[in-house]
Amino acid sequence: MADGAAPVLDVRDLKTVFKTRAGSVHAVNSVSFSLKPGELLGVVGESGSGKSVTMMSLIGLIPSPPAQVTGDGVNFGGIDLLKASDDELRSIRGARIGFVFQDPMTSLNPVFTVGYQIMEPLRKHMGMDKRAARKRAVELLELVGIPDAERRLKDFPHQFSGGMRQRVMIAIALACDPEVLIADEPTTALDVTIQAQILELMHELREKLGMAVIWITHDLGVIAGIADRVLVMYGGQIVEHAPVRELFKHPRHPYTRALLKTVPSVRGEREERLEVIEGQPPILRAEPSSCSFAPRCPFAFEHCLRENPPRFDIGAGHDAACFYDFETGAPRSSATAMAKEEAQLDAG
Amino acid sequence: MLDDTKSNKVLVEVKDLKMHFPIHAGIFKKRVGEVKAVDGISFDIYEGETLGLVGESGCGKSTAGRAILRLYDITEGSVKIDGVEIGDTPQPNLRKMRPTMQMVFQDPQASLNPRMSVAAIIGEPLNEHSDMSKAEKREKVLSLMDQVGLNRDFANRYPHEFSGGQRQRIGIARALALNPKFIVCDEPIAALDVSIQAQVVNLLEDLQEEFGLTYLFISHDLSMVRHIADRVAVMYLGRVVELASRETLFSDPKHPYTQALLSAVPEPDPWLEEKVDRILLEGDVPSPSNPPKGCNFCTRCPQVMEICKTEEPPTVEIAPGHIAACHLYS
């Protein structure tokens, strides 16, 4: 967090545990990150890695019980979201923090017109009257590239195609000029040509509006094209964090390295055989006491099974939670590791 | 095609295949129109090769896959598998043909009966089509489990006890049970995580090598198709717009739709990503119940001409083995 500007969102040591009759699931384990104004933070990981649950926990969208969300604080413009009351959270969600969910069909209400759904946050949060809200709704639909916006306000979600529905979702999320937009796999349900349209739209909107974005995806290709910084999640933890180019050029966690190799590309050299990551992702029954990637990791050694690696700072805004040092090609010595970690904590 | 091991024998021959679904409306359920899901496709699949069939959702690729196996009663056209015409064979006679042609489905959760054990699922085709004894069947099931990398000890478990990737292996073992020649893989990896996708693709490749299988690999994931397929057919709105060998299609696509589709695939490399020349298509895919006049792609094509809006483009061979349906080349 070297460069000046204060973060708009600062998450410290967030943990989410689901308590069920069949036992507890530790979905998010000590996640810390911050979001700077105007940047796009990509979050990658496979299903079950905790990327969605993290974002939904910090804004209070996970029902509790069964979930228990704890942490050292989620600072959003001076407010600790973990301590905020339901009313406070409600006034923040949709107004200062916007959401776009994966499936545009299930996240729009099928019995209300699209116009009504865009105008709802405007009237609730901004106190606009019907006419002003309507005018703004037309502007918003035009902003996200829906032709014939005025007339389309009266249409219901089922009258829109998938890509158009996702544009409507983005329009709703942007309605109140949020400081932060959280987009949870917004293009996963869409076809590639439509995905390309939405990504292009996102580029334009960021230039025009300058909000900070958290973009959750499992697609490394999307991340490469759109993100400024990237968090890689595995087993409910952040295993690597770096600026996008640094991450793709010098991946320092074995999981990131394997993930980058396992994805084929339509351009460049074609691999004769795909590299695989053997084994299965972990099921998180308890708080990790060892590295959660160790059973699938080709570099794992004895220490990895004894202790859960902290995130080691390796400079240039890059950190990785791994005891193995790819720069020296040998395990990190634990002593220097701990010292480094303490120094990092002191600096922070 | 490319390796010496692959013969030039045509195993599957599809000609002018059409699959139209009627639309009924009103109280008398009058037929008011039809969804032209597959509207005249033709291609050959050579023995031992993998033909990739790509396209966006709704383009008819899955319908084509099912129609080729006659899981539907097709509207028109002919399908020849291993020299036998099955396009107009009545369903009861088809039953004897089933062992040669099998299918792996997209959703391993939905395509496995939750109340049957793994051994029962994999063994079911053997009950239907073979007269093996119980012990022989058991032995065959266990050896199939070995082949797809499932632990023999799990034979009596139920599908919900497995992860997505393992369930897909069960589906593959079931398809292999009758020693088929031809397998239609309908989006076999779409429901899986990236790290698991590679495992399943490698398994499919190994099995192909071992048993000389022929695949029709249906997918919307162009990068995976580039990996696994020998030749690739691109579908748009019920028609094949371009078909070429993998190398040609990905390095030198001719049809404007293929070009746009390839350029839209995100690149997992920020440096390459910057250099990609994106062709952004306007709008959405038209409805297959009311396709545009002339070329199906004319509503979104960046190189559209007058003729495209009135006349359907013929399919022409622009280079040996490279066909495209576009007025730019006719």
Side-chain angles (χ1 to χ4, degrees), chain A residues 45-48 161-164 189 191-197 199-200 218-222 224-226 244-246 248-249 255 259-260 262-281 296, chain B residues 55-57 163-166 193-199 201-203 205-206 220 222-224 226-229 246-247 250 257 260-274 276 278 280-285 300:
Chain A
E46 295 177 76
S47 44
S161 67
M164 284 294 164
D191 279 316
V192 273
T193 60
I194 309 296
Q195 167 171 288
Q197 291 174 1
L199 292 178
E200 186 60 34
H218 66 269
D219 190 333
L220 286 162
V222 170
I226 198 164
V244 65
R245 283 171 179 246
E246 170 73 12
F248 280 86
K249 198 165 200 173
Y255 176 64
L259 207 56
L260 284 170
T262 193
V263 186
S265 162
V266 294
R267 302 171 191 91
E269 284 291 300
R270 175 182 168 275
E271 303 280 336
E272 210 32 67
R273 194 166 169 83
L274 290 178
E275 299 241 0
V276 297
I277 311 177
E278 294 297 344
Q280 303 287 334
R296 303 174 79 184
Chain B
E56 297 179 276
S57 46
S163 67
Q166 286 173 317
D193 266 318
V194 265
S195 75
I196 309 297
Q197 285 186 350
Q199 295 177 1
V201 165
N202 281 354
L203 172 68
E205 286 187 322
D206 290 343
H220 67 273
L222 286 145
S223 46
M224 266 310 169
R226 178 178 184 225
H227 183 80
I228 197 172
R246 170 186 70 218
E247 272 76 18
F250 284 92
Y257 176 65
L261 192 64
L262 287 177
S263 83
V265 180
E267 175 61 49
D269 177 338
W271 289 270
L272 264 178
E273 170 72 31
E274 260 189 0
V276 174
R278 287 266 134 78
L280 273 189
L281 291 180
E282 298 282 322
D284 290 299
V285 185
R300 301 172 82 196

Side-chain angles (χ1 to χ4, degrees), chain A residues 3-30:
Chain A
D3 23 327
V8 278
L9 186 69
D10 191 42
V11 181
R12 290 282 143 231
D13 209 21
L14 187 78
K15 289 180 188 170
T16 305
V17 182
F18 291 95
K19 299 253 188 220
T20 65
R21 265 196 289 180
S24 50
V25 175
H26 293 247
V28 180
N29 297 302
S30 304

Side-chain angles (χ1 to χ4, degrees), chain B residues 78-129:
Chain B
S78 101
V79 179
K80 256 190 212 161
I81 293 182
D82 208 9
V84 184
E85 170 65 49
I86 63 161
D88 49 8
T89 315
Q91 289 290 354
N93 303 3
L94 270 177
R95 207 175 177 77
K96 289 186 214 79
M97 291 283 302
R98 292 279 170 217
T100 35
M101 44 187 193
Q102 289 288 317
M103 184 149 182
V104 177
F105 297 92
Q106 167 168 5
D107 186 350
Q109 171 84 52
S111 60
L112 302 177
N113 187 338
R115 305 180 66 162
M116 285 165 81
S117 68
V118 170
I121 291 172
I122 301 176
E124 200 182 15
L126 299 172
N127 296 341
E128 283 294 324
H129 292 282

